[in-house]
Coordinates of all heavy atoms in Angstrom, one line a residue:
F93 N 5.0 3.0 -13.5 CA 6.0 3.6 -14.4 C 7.3 3.8 -13.7 O 8.4 3.6 -14.3 CB 5.4 4.9 -15.0 CG 6.3 5.7 -15.9 CD1 6.4 5.3 -17.2 CD2 7.1 6.7 -15.5 CE1 7.3 6.0 -18.1 CE2 8.0 7.4 -16.3 CZ 8.1 7.0 -17.6
A94 N 7.2 4.3 -12.5 CA 8.4 4.5 -11.7 C 9.2 3.2 -11.4 O 10.4 3.1 -11.4 CB 8.1 5.3 -10.4
R95 N 8.4 2.2 -11.1 CA 9.0 0.9 -10.7 C 9.7 0.3 -12.0 O 10.8 -0.2 -11.9 CB 7.9 -0.1 -10.2 CG 8.4 -1.4 -9.9 CD 7.3 -2.4 -9.5 NE 6.6 -1.9 -8.3 CZ 7.0 -2.2 -7.1 NH1 8.1 -2.9 -6.9 NH2 6.3 -1.7 -6.0
D96 N 9.0 0.4 -13.1 CA 9.6 -0.1 -14.4 C 10.9 0.6 -14.7 O 11.8 -0.1 -15.3 CB 8.6 0.0 -15.5 CG 7.4 -0.9 -15.4 OD1 7.5 -1.9 -14.6 OD2 6.3 -0.6 -16.0
A97 N 11.0 1.8 -14.4 CA 12.2 2.6 -14.6 C 13.4 2.0 -13.8 O 14.5 1.8 -14.3 CB 12.1 4.0 -14.3
L98 N 13.1 1.6 -12.6 CA 14.2 0.9 -11.8 C 14.5 -0.5 -12.3 O 15.7 -0.9 -12.3 CB 13.7 0.9 -10.3 CG 13.6 2.2 -9.5 CD1 13.0 2.0 -8.2 CD2 15.0 2.8 -9.4
I99 N 13.5 -1.2 -12.6 CA 13.7 -2.6 -13.2 C 14.5 -2.5 -14.4 O 15.4 -3.3 -14.7 CB 12.4 -3.3 -13.4 CG1 11.7 -3.5 -12.0 CG2 12.6 -4.6 -14.1 CD1 10.3 -4.1 -12.1
A100 N 14.2 -1.6 -15.3 CA 14.9 -1.4 -16.6 C 16.4 -1.1 -16.3 O 17.3 -1.4 -17.2 CB 14.3 -0.3 -17.4
D101 N 16.7 -0.5 -15.2 CA 18.1 -0.2 -14.8 C 18.8 -1.3 -14.1 O 19.9 -1.2 -13.6 CB 18.1 1.1 -14.0 CG 19.4 1.8 -14.0 OD1 20.2 1.7 -15.0 OD2 19.8 2.4 -13.0
G102 N 18.1 -2.5 -14.0 CA 18.7 -3.7 -13.3 C 18.5 -3.7 -11.9 O 19.1 -4.6 -11.2
E103 N 17.6 -2.9 -11.3 CA 17.4 -2.9 -9.8 C 16.2 -3.8 -9.5 O 15.4 -4.1 -10.4 CB 17.2 -1.5 -9.3 CG 18.4 -0.6 -9.6 CD 19.7 -1.0 -9.0 OE1 19.7 -1.8 -8.1 OE2 20.7 -0.6 -9.5
K104 N 16.0 -4.1 -8.2 CA 14.9 -4.9 -7.8 C 14.2 -4.1 -6.7 O 14.4 -4.4 -5.5 CB 15.3 -6.3 -7.3 CG 16.0 -7.1 -8.4 CD 16.4 -8.5 -7.8 CE 17.1 -9.3 -8.9 NZ 17.6 -10.6 -8.3
P105 N 13.3 -3.2 -7.0 CA 12.7 -2.4 -6.0 C 11.7 -3.2 -5.2 O 11.1 -4.1 -5.7 CB 12.0 -1.3 -6.8 CG 11.8 -1.9 -8.2 CD 12.9 -2.8 -8.4
G106 N 11.5 -2.8 -3.9 CA 10.6 -3.5 -3.1 C 9.2 -2.8 -3.1 O 8.8 -2.3 -4.1
D107 N 8.6 -2.8 -1.9 CA 7.2 -2.2 -1.8 C 7.3 -0.7 -2.1 O 8.3 0.0 -1.8 CB 6.7 -2.4 -0.4 CG 6.4 -3.9 -0.2 OD1 6.3 -4.7 -1.1 OD2 6.4 -4.3 1.0
H108 N 6.2 -0.2 -2.7 CA 6.1 1.3 -2.9 C 5.8 1.9 -1.6 O 4.8 1.6 -0.9 CB 5.0 1.5 -3.9 CG 4.9 3.0 -4.3 ND1 3.8 3.8 -3.9 CD2 5.7 3.8 -5.0 CE1 4.0 5.0 -4.4 NE2 5.1 5.0 -5.1
L109 N 6.6 2.8 -1.1 CA 6.5 3.4 0.2 C 5.7 4.7 0.2 O 5.2 5.2 1.3 CB 7.9 3.7 0.8 CG 8.8 2.5 0.9 CD1 10.1 3.0 1.4 CD2 8.2 1.5 1.8
G110 N 5.5 5.3 -1.0 CA 4.7 6.5 -1.0 C 5.1 7.4 -2.2 O 6.0 7.1 -2.9
A111 N 4.3 8.5 -2.4 CA 4.6 9.4 -3.5 C 4.4 10.8 -2.9 O 3.6 11.1 -2.1 CB 3.7 9.2 -4.6
R112 N 5.2 11.7 -3.5 CA 5.2 13.1 -3.1 C 5.0 14.0 -4.3 O 5.9 13.9 -5.2 CB 6.4 13.5 -2.3 CG 6.4 15.0 -1.8 CD 7.8 15.3 -1.3 NE 8.1 14.5 -0.1 CZ 7.7 14.8 1.1 NH1 7.0 15.9 1.4 NH2 8.0 14.0 2.1
A113 N 4.0 14.8 -4.4 CA 3.8 15.8 -5.5 C 4.8 16.9 -5.4 O 5.0 17.5 -4.3 CB 2.4 16.3 -5.5
E114 N 5.5 17.2 -6.4 CA 6.5 18.3 -6.5 C 5.9 19.4 -7.4 O 6.7 20.1 -8.1 CB 7.8 17.8 -7.0 CG 8.4 16.6 -6.3 CD 8.8 16.8 -4.9 OE1 8.8 18.0 -4.4 OE2 9.1 15.9 -4.2
G115 N 4.6 19.7 -7.3 CA 4.0 20.7 -8.2 C 3.3 20.0 -9.3 O 3.0 18.8 -9.3
D116 N 2.9 20.8 -10.3 CA 2.2 20.3 -11.5 C 3.0 19.5 -12.4 O 2.5 18.8 -13.3 CB 1.5 21.4 -12.2 CG 0.4 22.0 -11.4 OD1 -0.2 21.3 -10.6 OD2 0.0 23.2 -11.7
Y117 N 4.3 19.5 -12.3 CA 5.2 19.0 -13.3 C 6.1 17.8 -12.8 O 6.8 17.2 -13.6 CB 6.1 20.1 -13.9 CG 5.4 21.2 -14.5 CD1 5.1 22.4 -13.7 CD2 4.9 21.1 -15.8 CE1 4.4 23.4 -14.2 CE2 4.2 22.2 -16.3 CZ 3.9 23.3 -15.5 OH 3.2 24.4 -16.1
A118 N 6.0 17.4 -11.5 CA 6.9 16.3 -11.1 C 6.3 15.7 -9.8 O 5.5 16.3 -9.1 CB 8.3 16.8 -10.8
A119 N 6.6 14.5 -9.6 CA 6.2 13.7 -8.4 C 7.4 12.7 -8.1 O 8.0 12.2 -9.0 CB 4.9 13.0 -8.6

Side-chain angles (χ1 to χ4, degrees):
F93 180 80
R95 181 186 297 275
D96 290 342
L98 290 173
I99 295 175
D101 201 28
E103 305 297 342
K104 297 179 179 179
D107 296 337
H108 186 251
L109 303 178
R112 180 188 300 274
E114 308 292 353
D116 289 338
Y117 301 96

